[in-house]
Amino acid sequence: MATVTPEEMAGKLLAEGFSRTGPAAQALSDPVTDTPMVVTLDDLRPYELDPRLTRNPLYDEIKTSIRERGLDAPPPITRRPGAEHFIIRNGGNTRLAILRELWSETKDERFFRISCLFRPWPARGEIVALTGHLAENELHGSLTFIERALGVEKARELYELESGKSLSQSELARRLSTDGYPIQQSHISRMQDTVRYLLPTIPNVLYNGLGRHQVERLAVLRKAGELTWEKHASGTALAVDFETLFHDVLAPFDVQPDSFSASRVRDELIGQMSELLHIDYNVLELDIDSTEHRQRAVTSPPQLPVETATVVQPGHAVTSPPDATQNNGTAAGASGSEPNNDAAPPLVPAPTPEPGVSSGDHDPDARLQGHIVSPADNTERLQGIQHLLAEHTGEPLPAFADRVLQAIPVQAGGLFPISDVWYIEPGLDSPDRLRIHIAQLAQEIAEQAELIDCIEAIETGIGFTCSASHADLLPPAFGQVVLALLRALIRPYNAAPDQGDMRLEDNLGALLLGGGVRDTGVLPRLSDNGLVKMFRLIRLARRLLDLEANPGKANP
């Protein structure tokens, strides 16, 4: 190795430095991992696609806290590749706006320079940022329904841009859940209906915070009204279509959420449909009731089992909205209504106690299900409305699961589901409404004998009349006895004996209890479902006759 002399070393040290051959960097690149950094308000911008469109209801409280304590929870920040400014990564636009206000008011440096956690911009940056803001706001429960709906709609656009194809609601729900914002497909359906049909008509009431329950009631009403309109308007030349009619009915209700009433919208819609279609209001209301019921059964998310339904403590109460469903209260004249469940299991016989084991030691779920003839559809939304009304009216609402072994509430499905044979809600307690329900129950009972065409709804008597079968031959023995029983109920009012009737006194026991033997074989008995409906029919008919005899008599 050559020896370097002191003179050579001095020459090398005094030589000119290396010259730069490449361009000088104008700015440092962003960190590639999560990195704490200090940024100023001049460097930071809000996230442009933030789903929040209205002022945070906690804005003043948050501002007071930041003024007194400083920014305890700085928002995470990020930056798009090549962008000049940082942006809020997820949840923090309100805090940024407050910091700008406080800096403008105080010129305090602690509001101008803030310590943040920088997180690199991911490959799917726009979607990650949007779902992050949705999830952050959802945790604080501070977004209105329409803000969430518009946020989900924007997410759908980003997903479709990413995948290059349109997405179904189920696929959109799956992708949102994967990216940290779990949401049910049924909610997405309601959100899309809200953006498409409601937002153009009632923007003020939506942006001012109309709740999800009210929005869903409107969405179900619009769909039910549209189907009913198509059913009755088919082949008829009308001056207006349903979409225009619904818009015209809903637009005058674009007021503050506190004064908004979905029930008034429903009443106005049915009223105008009745005038345009020249069909009785009650007929249209019955059609819409039935369609709404089916819509909720199809679109509502799975509900809690019956035994886990909320139990109202003594002193709290609720009543059902008029004519919502026939699912109310307890037996023997109790005045509450019972929230039920559309996911209730089918009939399960009550377990037989084992030797040496008391019945109380068995599974309470099995004992509860032994009292359900057939599930009575209900929704979590309706249960919530019932409990809200309870606080206002003070009417007690015993839970079915709580009272099932103390009284005799029974569930039976149908167009008007039953959860209490005895209780009659106030909205049903009028002669015209009672007749509609009685006729429907009679038709469902006759349907078990395949003779539904023999029952005709009328506006007198107890609401229905029986006619002979349209078939050339007499119906089977079971059908003849069912018709004889129904005809016996109405004979004092609007029916005469039919020559085809079998002797009811000879067959009533077999029809109700079973075990009847005839020349043609064993006479089937009325099903459990039909028996419950017969009890309910009798109860409503008794009430109807009481009302007509004594109009002012209170419901027992």
mmCIF file of all heavy atoms in Angstrom, residues 378-405:
data_model
loop_
_atom_site.group_PDB
_atom_site.id
_atom_site.type_symbol
_atom_site.label_atom_id
_atom_site.label_comp_id
_atom_site.label_asym_id
_atom_site.label_seq_id
_atom_site.Cartn_x
_atom_site.Cartn_y
_atom_site.Cartn_z
ATOM 1 N N ASN A 378 -93.669 -9.607 12.980
ATOM 2 C CA ASN A 378 -93.481 -8.271 13.551
ATOM 3 C C ASN A 378 -92.065 -7.851 13.203
ATOM 4 O O ASN A 378 -91.256 -8.649 12.763
ATOM 5 C CB ASN A 378 -93.686 -8.281 15.066
ATOM 6 C CG ASN A 378 -94.054 -6.914 15.606
ATOM 7 O OD1 ASN A 378 -93.865 -5.912 14.932
ATOM 8 N ND2 ASN A 378 -94.575 -6.886 16.821
ATOM 9 N N THR A 379 -91.729 -6.603 13.413
ATOM 10 C CA THR A 379 -90.407 -6.110 13.084
ATOM 11 C C THR A 379 -89.841 -5.335 14.256
ATOM 12 O O THR A 379 -90.567 -4.834 15.111
ATOM 13 C CB THR A 379 -90.434 -5.188 11.850
ATOM 14 O OG1 THR A 379 -91.193 -4.015 12.179
ATOM 15 C CG2 THR A 379 -91.070 -5.891 10.665
ATOM 16 N N GLU A 380 -88.522 -5.251 14.268
ATOM 17 C CA GLU A 380 -87.857 -4.475 15.311
ATOM 18 C C GLU A 380 -88.282 -3.019 15.247
ATOM 19 O O GLU A 380 -88.406 -2.344 16.273
ATOM 20 C CB GLU A 380 -86.336 -4.588 15.112
ATOM 21 C CG GLU A 380 -85.527 -3.891 16.188
ATOM 22 C CD GLU A 380 -84.039 -4.035 15.926
ATOM 23 O OE1 GLU A 380 -83.664 -4.511 14.834
ATOM 24 O OE2 GLU A 380 -83.264 -3.671 16.811
ATOM 25 N N ARG A 381 -88.547 -2.546 14.014
ATOM 26 C CA ARG A 381 -88.978 -1.159 13.844
ATOM 27 C C ARG A 381 -90.308 -0.906 14.544
ATOM 28 O O ARG A 381 -90.490 0.087 15.245
ATOM 29 C CB ARG A 381 -89.089 -0.861 12.349
ATOM 30 C CG ARG A 381 -89.573 0.518 12.003
ATOM 31 C CD ARG A 381 -89.324 0.811 10.533
ATOM 32 N NE ARG A 381 -89.986 -0.090 9.631
ATOM 33 C CZ ARG A 381 -89.392 -1.123 9.016
ATOM 34 N NH1 ARG A 381 -88.127 -1.386 9.212
ATOM 35 N NH2 ARG A 381 -90.055 -1.891 8.178
ATOM 36 N N LEU A 382 -91.264 -1.825 14.357
ATOM 37 C CA LEU A 382 -92.570 -1.664 14.983
ATOM 38 C C LEU A 382 -92.457 -1.777 16.497
ATOM 39 O O LEU A 382 -93.103 -1.038 17.238
ATOM 40 C CB LEU A 382 -93.539 -2.723 14.452
ATOM 41 C CG LEU A 382 -94.959 -2.697 15.038
ATOM 42 C CD1 LEU A 382 -95.598 -1.328 14.825
ATOM 43 C CD2 LEU A 382 -95.810 -3.778 14.418
ATOM 44 N N GLN A 383 -91.597 -2.678 16.985
ATOM 45 C CA GLN A 383 -91.397 -2.791 18.420
ATOM 46 C C GLN A 383 -90.862 -1.483 18.995
ATOM 47 O O GLN A 383 -91.284 -1.035 20.061
ATOM 48 C CB GLN A 383 -90.416 -3.928 18.723
ATOM 49 C CG GLN A 383 -90.951 -5.303 18.370
ATOM 50 C CD GLN A 383 -89.928 -6.394 18.593
ATOM 51 O OE1 GLN A 383 -89.018 -6.249 19.416
ATOM 52 N NE2 GLN A 383 -90.049 -7.486 17.872
ATOM 53 N N GLY A 384 -89.917 -0.854 18.274
ATOM 54 C CA GLY A 384 -89.386 0.420 18.743
ATOM 55 C C GLY A 384 -90.454 1.497 18.809
ATOM 56 O O GLY A 384 -90.497 2.284 19.767
ATOM 57 N N ILE A 385 -91.316 1.529 17.790
ATOM 58 C CA ILE A 385 -92.399 2.520 17.788
ATOM 59 C C ILE A 385 -93.341 2.266 18.954
ATOM 60 O O ILE A 385 -93.781 3.193 19.641
ATOM 61 C CB ILE A 385 -93.157 2.468 16.449
ATOM 62 C CG1 ILE A 385 -92.238 2.935 15.312
ATOM 63 C CG2 ILE A 385 -94.414 3.342 16.494
ATOM 64 C CD1 ILE A 385 -92.830 2.740 13.933
ATOM 65 N N GLN A 386 -93.652 0.996 19.219
ATOM 66 C CA GLN A 386 -94.534 0.664 20.326
ATOM 67 C C GLN A 386 -93.956 1.129 21.659
ATOM 68 O O GLN A 386 -94.666 1.684 22.500
ATOM 69 C CB GLN A 386 -94.780 -0.844 20.362
ATOM 70 C CG GLN A 386 -95.629 -1.354 19.201
ATOM 71 C CD GLN A 386 -95.732 -2.866 19.179
ATOM 72 O OE1 GLN A 386 -94.864 -3.563 19.688
ATOM 73 N NE2 GLN A 386 -96.782 -3.369 18.582
ATOM 74 N N HIS A 387 -92.664 0.929 21.856
ATOM 75 C CA HIS A 387 -92.055 1.328 23.116
ATOM 76 C C HIS A 387 -91.967 2.843 23.254
ATOM 77 O O HIS A 387 -92.064 3.380 24.358
ATOM 78 C CB HIS A 387 -90.674 0.685 23.247
ATOM 79 C CG HIS A 387 -90.722 -0.772 23.583
ATOM 80 N ND1 HIS A 387 -90.868 -1.248 24.858
ATOM 81 C CD2 HIS A 387 -90.688 -1.870 22.787
ATOM 82 C CE1 HIS A 387 -90.896 -2.565 24.850
ATOM 83 N NE2 HIS A 387 -90.788 -2.968 23.595
ATOM 84 N N LEU A 388 -91.773 3.538 22.134
ATOM 85 C CA LEU A 388 -91.788 4.998 22.195
ATOM 86 C C LEU A 388 -93.176 5.512 22.568
ATOM 87 O O LEU A 388 -93.327 6.436 23.382
ATOM 88 C CB LEU A 388 -91.349 5.583 20.845
ATOM 89 C CG LEU A 388 -89.862 5.442 20.498
ATOM 90 C CD1 LEU A 388 -89.618 5.938 19.086
ATOM 91 C CD2 LEU A 388 -89.006 6.224 21.469
ATOM 92 N N LEU A 389 -94.205 4.906 21.972
ATOM 93 C CA LEU A 389 -95.565 5.313 22.301
ATOM 94 C C LEU A 389 -95.914 4.985 23.744
ATOM 95 O O LEU A 389 -96.738 5.655 24.371
ATOM 96 C CB LEU A 389 -96.553 4.624 21.360
ATOM 97 C CG LEU A 389 -96.534 5.098 19.903
ATOM 98 C CD1 LEU A 389 -97.465 4.253 19.059
ATOM 99 C CD2 LEU A 389 -96.946 6.555 19.817
ATOM 100 N N ALA A 390 -95.281 3.958 24.303
ATOM 101 C CA ALA A 390 -95.569 3.581 25.681
ATOM 102 C C ALA A 390 -95.270 4.719 26.644
ATOM 103 O O ALA A 390 -96.031 5.000 27.562
ATOM 104 C CB ALA A 390 -94.746 2.358 26.067
ATOM 105 N N GLU A 391 -94.143 5.367 26.424
ATOM 106 C CA GLU A 391 -93.742 6.439 27.319
ATOM 107 C C GLU A 391 -94.703 7.618 27.243
ATOM 108 O O GLU A 391 -94.833 8.400 28.182
ATOM 109 C CB GLU A 391 -92.322 6.903 26.966
ATOM 110 C CG GLU A 391 -91.286 5.785 27.086
ATOM 111 C CD GLU A 391 -89.911 6.240 26.638
ATOM 112 O OE1 GLU A 391 -89.793 7.417 26.244
ATOM 113 O OE2 GLU A 391 -88.971 5.435 26.686
ATOM 114 N N HIS A 392 -95.383 7.740 26.093
ATOM 115 C CA HIS A 392 -96.297 8.868 25.908
ATOM 116 C C HIS A 392 -97.701 8.568 26.439
ATOM 117 O O HIS A 392 -98.343 9.442 27.017
ATOM 118 C CB HIS A 392 -96.382 9.215 24.424
ATOM 119 C CG HIS A 392 -97.315 10.344 24.121
ATOM 120 N ND1 HIS A 392 -97.049 11.646 24.482
ATOM 121 C CD2 HIS A 392 -98.531 10.358 23.502
ATOM 122 C CE1 HIS A 392 -98.052 12.419 24.099
ATOM 123 N NE2 HIS A 392 -98.962 11.659 23.499
ATOM 124 N N THR A 393 -98.156 7.326 26.259
ATOM 125 C CA THR A 393 -99.538 7.003 26.615
ATOM 126 C C THR A 393 -99.690 6.412 28.003
ATOM 127 O O THR A 393 -100.752 6.514 28.606
ATOM 128 C CB THR A 393 -100.115 6.002 25.605
ATOM 129 O OG1 THR A 393 -99.357 4.784 25.678
ATOM 130 C CG2 THR A 393 -100.052 6.559 24.196
ATOM 131 N N GLY A 394 -98.648 5.745 28.507
ATOM 132 C CA GLY A 394 -98.763 5.113 29.814
ATOM 133 C C GLY A 394 -99.523 3.805 29.813
ATOM 134 O O GLY A 394 -99.824 3.273 30.872
ATOM 135 N N GLU A 395 -99.851 3.260 28.647
ATOM 136 C CA GLU A 395 -100.574 1.982 28.603
ATOM 137 C C GLU A 395 -99.571 0.844 28.725
ATOM 138 O O GLU A 395 -98.573 0.792 28.022
ATOM 139 C CB GLU A 395 -101.346 1.850 27.288
ATOM 140 C CG GLU A 395 -102.254 0.638 27.261
ATOM 141 C CD GLU A 395 -103.100 0.595 26.005
ATOM 142 O OE1 GLU A 395 -103.010 1.547 25.203
ATOM 143 O OE2 GLU A 395 -103.830 -0.376 25.819
ATOM 144 N N PRO A 396 -99.788 -0.113 29.653
ATOM 145 C CA PRO A 396 -98.793 -1.160 29.914
ATOM 146 C C PRO A 396 -98.617 -2.093 28.727
ATOM 147 O O PRO A 396 -99.551 -2.357 27.983
ATOM 148 C CB PRO A 396 -99.365 -1.911 31.125
ATOM 149 C CG PRO A 396 -100.830 -1.642 31.057
ATOM 150 C CD PRO A 396 -100.973 -0.252 30.499
ATOM 151 N N LEU A 397 -97.420 -2.591 28.575
ATOM 152 C CA LEU A 397 -97.103 -3.529 27.495
ATOM 153 C C LEU A 397 -96.395 -4.751 28.070
ATOM 154 O O LEU A 397 -95.180 -4.816 28.077
ATOM 155 C CB LEU A 397 -96.220 -2.864 26.442
ATOM 156 C CG LEU A 397 -95.707 -3.789 25.331
ATOM 157 C CD1 LEU A 397 -96.858 -4.286 24.495
ATOM 158 C CD2 LEU A 397 -94.697 -3.079 24.479
ATOM 159 N N PRO A 398 -97.134 -5.735 28.597
ATOM 160 C CA PRO A 398 -96.483 -6.948 29.088
ATOM 161 C C PRO A 398 -95.860 -7.706 27.919
ATOM 162 O O PRO A 398 -96.454 -7.784 26.854
ATOM 163 C CB PRO A 398 -97.631 -7.745 29.716
ATOM 164 C CG PRO A 398 -98.782 -6.795 29.796
ATOM 165 C CD PRO A 398 -98.568 -5.773 28.740
ATOM 166 N N ALA A 399 -94.687 -8.259 28.125
ATOM 167 C CA ALA A 399 -94.021 -9.001 27.059
ATOM 168 C C ALA A 399 -94.621 -10.398 26.950
ATOM 169 O O ALA A 399 -94.961 -11.026 27.952
ATOM 170 C CB ALA A 399 -92.524 -9.091 27.339
ATOM 171 N N PHE A 400 -94.747 -10.898 25.732
ATOM 172 C CA PHE A 400 -95.297 -12.237 25.509
ATOM 173 C C PHE A 400 -94.496 -13.271 26.283
ATOM 174 O O PHE A 400 -95.044 -14.127 26.969
ATOM 175 C CB PHE A 400 -95.285 -12.543 24.011
ATOM 176 C CG PHE A 400 -95.779 -13.931 23.676
ATOM 177 C CD1 PHE A 400 -97.128 -14.205 23.656
ATOM 178 C CD2 PHE A 400 -94.886 -14.936 23.370
ATOM 179 C CE1 PHE A 400 -97.592 -15.469 23.343
ATOM 180 C CE2 PHE A 400 -95.331 -16.200 23.062
ATOM 181 C CZ PHE A 400 -96.695 -16.471 23.054
ATOM 182 N N ALA A 401 -93.162 -13.194 26.196
ATOM 183 C CA ALA A 401 -92.319 -14.169 26.872
ATOM 184 C C ALA A 401 -92.465 -14.073 28.387
ATOM 185 O O ALA A 401 -92.277 -15.045 29.108
ATOM 186 C CB ALA A 401 -90.857 -13.967 26.475
ATOM 187 N N ASP A 402 -92.834 -12.903 28.887
ATOM 188 C CA ASP A 402 -92.944 -12.671 30.315
ATOM 189 C C ASP A 402 -94.258 -13.182 30.878
ATOM 190 O O ASP A 402 -94.348 -13.584 32.021
ATOM 191 C CB ASP A 402 -92.823 -11.172 30.584
ATOM 192 C CG ASP A 402 -92.014 -10.875 31.828
ATOM 193 O OD1 ASP A 402 -91.153 -11.697 32.193
ATOM 194 O OD2 ASP A 402 -92.249 -9.829 32.424
ATOM 195 N N ARG A 403 -95.328 -13.157 30.044
ATOM 196 C CA ARG A 403 -96.660 -13.459 30.525
ATOM 197 C C ARG A 403 -97.238 -14.760 29.983
ATOM 198 O O ARG A 403 -98.348 -15.134 30.334
ATOM 199 C CB ARG A 403 -97.605 -12.312 30.131
ATOM 200 C CG ARG A 403 -97.281 -10.991 30.774
ATOM 201 C CD ARG A 403 -97.545 -11.019 32.261
ATOM 202 N NE ARG A 403 -98.959 -11.254 32.536
ATOM 203 C CZ ARG A 403 -99.831 -10.287 32.788
ATOM 204 N NH1 ARG A 403 -99.434 -9.036 32.864
ATOM 205 N NH2 ARG A 403 -101.100 -10.566 33.006
ATOM 206 N N VAL A 404 -96.482 -15.454 29.143
ATOM 207 C CA VAL A 404 -97.052 -16.580 28.423
ATOM 208 C C VAL A 404 -97.526 -17.686 29.363
ATOM 209 O O VAL A 404 -98.512 -18.356 29.092
ATOM 210 C CB VAL A 404 -96.041 -17.139 27.400
ATOM 211 C CG1 VAL A 404 -94.823 -17.708 28.079
ATOM 212 C CG2 VAL A 404 -96.702 -18.180 26.512
ATOM 213 N N LEU A 405 -96.853 -17.897 30.501
ATOM 214 C CA LEU A 405 -97.243 -18.959 31.408
ATOM 215 C C LEU A 405 -98.183 -18.462 32.501
ATOM 216 O O LEU A 405 -98.607 -19.232 33.346
ATOM 217 C CB LEU A 405 -95.999 -19.590 32.040
ATOM 218 C CG LEU A 405 -95.023 -20.202 31.039
ATOM 219 C CD1 LEU A 405 -93.838 -20.810 31.743
ATOM 220 C CD2 LEU A 405 -95.726 -21.243 30.178
#
